[in-house]
Each structure stands twice: as C-alpha cells, then as structure tokens.
Amino acid sequence: MTSRTELNREKKELLEGVISGEISFHKLDSLTDKETAVMIRRYAIEESSDFNFDHIQNFSIDVENASKKNIENMIGVIQVPLGVAGPLKVNGEFADDSFQLPLATTEGALVASVNRGCSVITRSGGANVRIFQDVMTRAPVFRLENVIRAKEFADWLNDPSVLSRMKAKAADTTRFGELIDVKAFVTGNTVYVRFSYDTKDAMGMNMVTIATDAVLSLIEDEFGAIPVSLSGNMCTDKKPAAINNILGRGKTTVADVTIPASLVSERLKCKPETMVEVNYRKNLLGSARAGSLGYNAHAANIIAAMYIACGQDPAHVVEGSSTITTMEITQYGDLYCSVTLPAMAIGTVGGGTNLGPQLDCLRMLGVSGSGTPPGSNAKKLAEIIASAVLAGEISLVGAQAAGHLARAHAELGR
C-alpha cells in the first residue's frame, strides 16, 4: 500500500488540490485512475480529520468495477462478517437441492438460529417453495384537468391496442425486459399508472425505469398526458406498502414445511401447540395490534443477511419485512409452518452481484449470472431465500415457545 510520502508529483498535486477544495471528490475520477482516486480521497479525509484509517483500505474487490457501477466517491470498503447455515433442503421448481446459506451479519446468534431451523426443515423432508408472481413495477404520476379527463385516460390505458404499443415502446429499451401489465389508480384528477415488467434475472429497477420513461413519451404524444414524476410512489419502492402486499412486487414467494411433532420436541424443545400459540399471539395478533405491515418474527434478519452476502440492494429488506408467518396443527398432530413473502426484489445480474465477495456467495448457491432459461437463476435465489426465512422463523418462534431466546442471546449475542 502506497503511503502519502511515496506519492509521485502528479498524485501529490491532486491530493493538495482536494485538500484545498480546488478539486472535488467527484471530479477526481475524471483526472486519474479509479484506484488512485480512492486513495487520494482517503488521504484527504485523514489530513482534514487528523487521524488515519486502519481498516477500510484493506479489500479485494475490483475498484474499477465498483466505482463504475456501484458507488461514487469511493474511499474504501466496509467488511461484514460472513457465516454459513445449513445444509437446507429446498424442494422448489428452480432450487431443488441442499444448500449452505451465506449470511452476512453482525448480530450474534442469528446464524446459529437459522442453522437450527435448517436442520429441522431438512430432517422434515425439506422446504416446499413456489413463486406465484414475478414482476417489477414503476408507477409514474399524472395530473389531468379534471375527473372526466382522468377517467378518459384510465379507459385509454385499458385499450388492448394501447397496451400493445406500450409494450413495443418498452421493448425498444431492453433486450431482456418485457412489459406485462398496466394498471391505473385515480385520486381526484391525479392518475397513477403502475407498469409491471418481467425483468428475467435482473432485479430490474433501472431497466423498468428506463423502459417506463420511453413509454411516457408515447403517452404524451398519443394522449397528451404529461407526468408530474416518473415515480409516484405507487410502485412502491423501498417503503412498506399495502399495495406490494396485495398485488406483489418482485418475486411473490411462499415456502412451507410440516414438522413431525417428535422432531419439534427433540430439536426445538417445545410442543407444536406452544409454537402455534406463540405465532398466533405474537406474529399475528401482536402485529395487528401494533399496526404492522409484517406478520413475522424476524424475517428481515435473514433477508438482510442474505441480501448483503449476495449483492442485493439491502434497502429492499423493507419489502421483505412484510412477510406473513403462519403455523397450525395438522390432523396428525404435527406442526405446519409457512412464510409468504409478497415482494422480494432480487436479481443475479447487475447491481452488486458482480463484486468479488458477493459473486462468491452467488456461485456457492449456484445462481451467479443469467440462468437458462433467462430468469431461472433469480427465481432459484428467491426460493432459497424464502426457505431460509422459513428456517429463521421456525427457530425463533421455537426459542420463544421454549423460553430459550434470552439465554441464546446471552450465550451467542455477547
């Protein structure tokens, strides 16, 4: 690692320019190579703050790639401990195997808890999982003259020939994405138009934004409606929203398993009836009383840990936190458990999936890059994550039913 005293004249001049304020952090990328820009920004912060970084400069990711696609004004890397839980047997349409789960977290006891849930599911024959819908959305907002014009606009959008032309316009912007559906929502003279796309193996937010922007030009030319904003928050992106829970966004995925009563007693140290009681009064009634949009124990924990490990946008944990967990006793006295994730925004290409450590985790799961057929890798990842959430829910509810939660955190959470 080059020290400040070893910088050549050109790099010293750049550093002095940044420290003096003559050169902005952002402008550095156009004046030198990306690695040098990262180093000079870091040195400039050290000079102005009178301290030295000890850790953020130590990393293995490709700076050129990250600076181009993932971040601006880069100064280093934050590292998160990575653990593994499993094996977890998954009986999906795309994920049909046993998997070791990469979990990036700083919460002690989380990996151990998921690992216990994986053991219970695997010994019960595996998690059954299916994807019920797969669409990414963008919803621009329009202001019309009055409600009469708003109704005309909504009716026009429902015309099959208009949808066909919008599909063709969107297709001009992407090789992989496909406009699937258009829905209008009216509030007075305001019209929100929710466009739904198949984005294959990409999470697809950039894809659908660009495609929708192109479609807006067609709407303006043919109907005369001009958007107030390309996003009117009916998408709804990175915010808790009932519309995502009802209509779905990203991958709407459901996983379940039936656990023999004897295994509940042996591995979870409680009875199936006790877990059903905890789930009912905690996850269902408690969440309803609190006004929560999520009815689960800690789904966001597992989603966040796998998103960070696998190069997903962690802000989309918001949608994942709307998971609904159910538990009931079967006619044979066993424990049936399920998780419903209405809105998982994930992909295996684009975003952070090309960064080295994250790519390692995707490769470990067998989902890196584009799948054959297109879209199959992202669906496989969704099935794995949903099954991992099921493992986490079973373990935590079991711990609470057995009164073990505090002890586990005392022992493992430090």
Side-chain angles (χ1 to χ4, degrees):
M1 184 69 66
T2 305
S3 70
R4 271 166 284 185
T5 57
E6 297 172 322
L7 295 178
N8 61 29
R9 183 177 60 82
E10 179 184 355
K11 293 176 181 177
K12 284 181 179 178
E13 289 177 354
L14 288 173
L15 177 58
E16 290 169 1
V18 171
I19 292 171
S20 68
E22 295 178 8
I23 300 174
S24 68
F25 275 175
H26 186 68
K27 190 177 180 181
L28 268 176
D29 282 332
S30 64
L31 299 176
T32 185
D33 63 271
K34 296 292 191 295
E35 288 197 16
T36 298
V38 169
M39 178 177 62
I40 289 176
R41 288 190 200 99
R42 190 167 60 246
Y43 286 160
I45 292 174
E46 289 178 335
E47 289 283 351
S48 62
S49 303
D50 194 28
F51 84 104
N52 293 330
F53 289 109
D54 293 325
H55 300 286
I56 67 168
Q57 66 269 36
N58 301 315
F59 55 85
S60 63
I61 69 170
D62 184 339
V63 171
E64 185 74 27
N65 187 41
S67 296
K68 186 183 297 182
K69 300 177 180 179
N70 302 108
I71 196 165
E72 299 76 44
N73 296 344
M74 182 175 172
I75 63 170
V77 168
I78 294 294
Q79 299 179 81
V80 180
L82 179 68
V84 63
L88 173 62
K89 190 176 189 306
V90 179
N91 307 319
E93 290 184 284
F94 301 90
D96 187 13
D97 205 342
S98 291
F99 299 91
Q100 298 285 354
L101 308 175
L103 299 160
T105 182
T106 56
E107 181 183 346
L110 178 61
V111 174
S113 178
V114 176
N115 195 61
R116 184 172 74 147
C118 289
S119 174
V120 171
I121 291 174
T122 299
R123 291 179 62 178
S124 300
N128 307 307
V129 57
R130 293 293 184 270
I131 295 171
F132 288 80
Q133 180 176 265
D134 184 10
V135 292
M136 182 49 63
T137 61
R138 178 54 84 201
V141 54
F142 298 81
R143 185 181 70 179
L144 283 300
E145 292 90 336
N146 50 46
V147 70
I148 296 172
R149 188 64 171 158
K151 178 64 164 56
E152 291 174 352
F153 184 35
D155 289 344
W156 180 79
L157 290 166
N158 285 328
D159 186 326
S161 65
V162 172
L163 178 59
S164 179
R165 294 196 296 277
M166 289 192 291
K167 285 184 175 183
K169 191 73 172 179
D172 288 341
T173 69
T174 173
R175 291 181 298 157
F176 303 107
E178 178 185 1
L179 178 60
I180 301 297
D181 185 44
V182 178
K183 283 186 174 68
F185 299 85
V186 179
T187 303
N189 64 341
T190 302
V191 180
Y192 302 86
V193 186
R194 198 172 194 254
F195 294 88
S196 299
Y197 297 81
D198 179 357
T199 58
K200 301 299 187 286
D201 282 304
M203 184 271 282
M205 273 312 307
N206 290 338
M207 183 190 299
V208 305
T209 298
I210 293 168
T212 302
D213 190 50
V215 173
L216 294 185
S217 65
L218 180 147
I219 291 173
E220 182 177 350
D221 292 342
E222 294 195 12
F223 189 85
I226 300 174
V228 174
S229 171
L230 181 55
S231 174
N233 272 11
M234 283 282 287
C235 309
T236 294
D237 189 42
K238 299 177 181 177
K239 290 167 281 290
I243 193 169
N244 289 344
N245 294 356
I246 297 167
L247 297 183
R249 186 169 192 263
K251 291 162 177 62
T252 301
T253 313
V254 182
D256 72 6
V257 66
T258 298
I259 307 169
S262 59
L263 190 58
V264 174
S265 176
E266 176 191 344
R267 294 290 297 160
L268 300 174
K269 310 301 181 184
C270 61
K271 295 179 179 180
E273 293 83 1
T274 312
M275 289 184 64
V276 170
E277 175 88 355
V278 169
N279 189 70
Y280 171 64
R281 300 200 181 278
K282 167 190 167 65
N283 288 341
L284 303 184
L285 289 187
S287 297
R289 186 69 174 89
S292 173
L293 289 181
Y295 292 74
N296 62 81
H298 69 150
N301 250 339
I302 292 85
I303 294 168
M306 290 205 68
Y307 276 21
I308 293 169
C310 295
Q312 310 304 305
D313 187 337
H316 285 295
V317 172
V318 170
E319 292 100 311
S321 69
S322 294
T323 296
I324 300 171
T325 299
T326 68
M327 294 186 182
E328 59 189 67
I329 304 298
T330 72
Q331 60 179 320
Y332 303 108
D334 298 324
L335 178 65
Y336 172 84
C337 307
S338 79
V339 290
T340 299
L341 292 84
M344 268 203 294
I346 61 174
T348 57
V349 297
T353 62
N354 290 320
L355 296 174
Q358 288 81 353
L359 183 58
D360 279 349
C361 292
L362 292 171
R363 288 171 58 207
M364 184 174 78
L365 295 172
V367 295
S368 61
S370 296
T372 305
S376 58
N377 271 356
K379 289 183 173 70
K380 181 178 178 181
L381 179 60
E383 291 182 346
I384 294 170
I385 293 175
S387 301
V389 170
L390 180 63
E393 292 292 281
I394 289 168
S395 185
L396 181 52
V397 171
Q400 293 180 337
H404 295 163
L405 179 64
R407 187 171 73 239
H409 276 277
E411 293 175 354
L412 299 174
R414 266 70 71 179

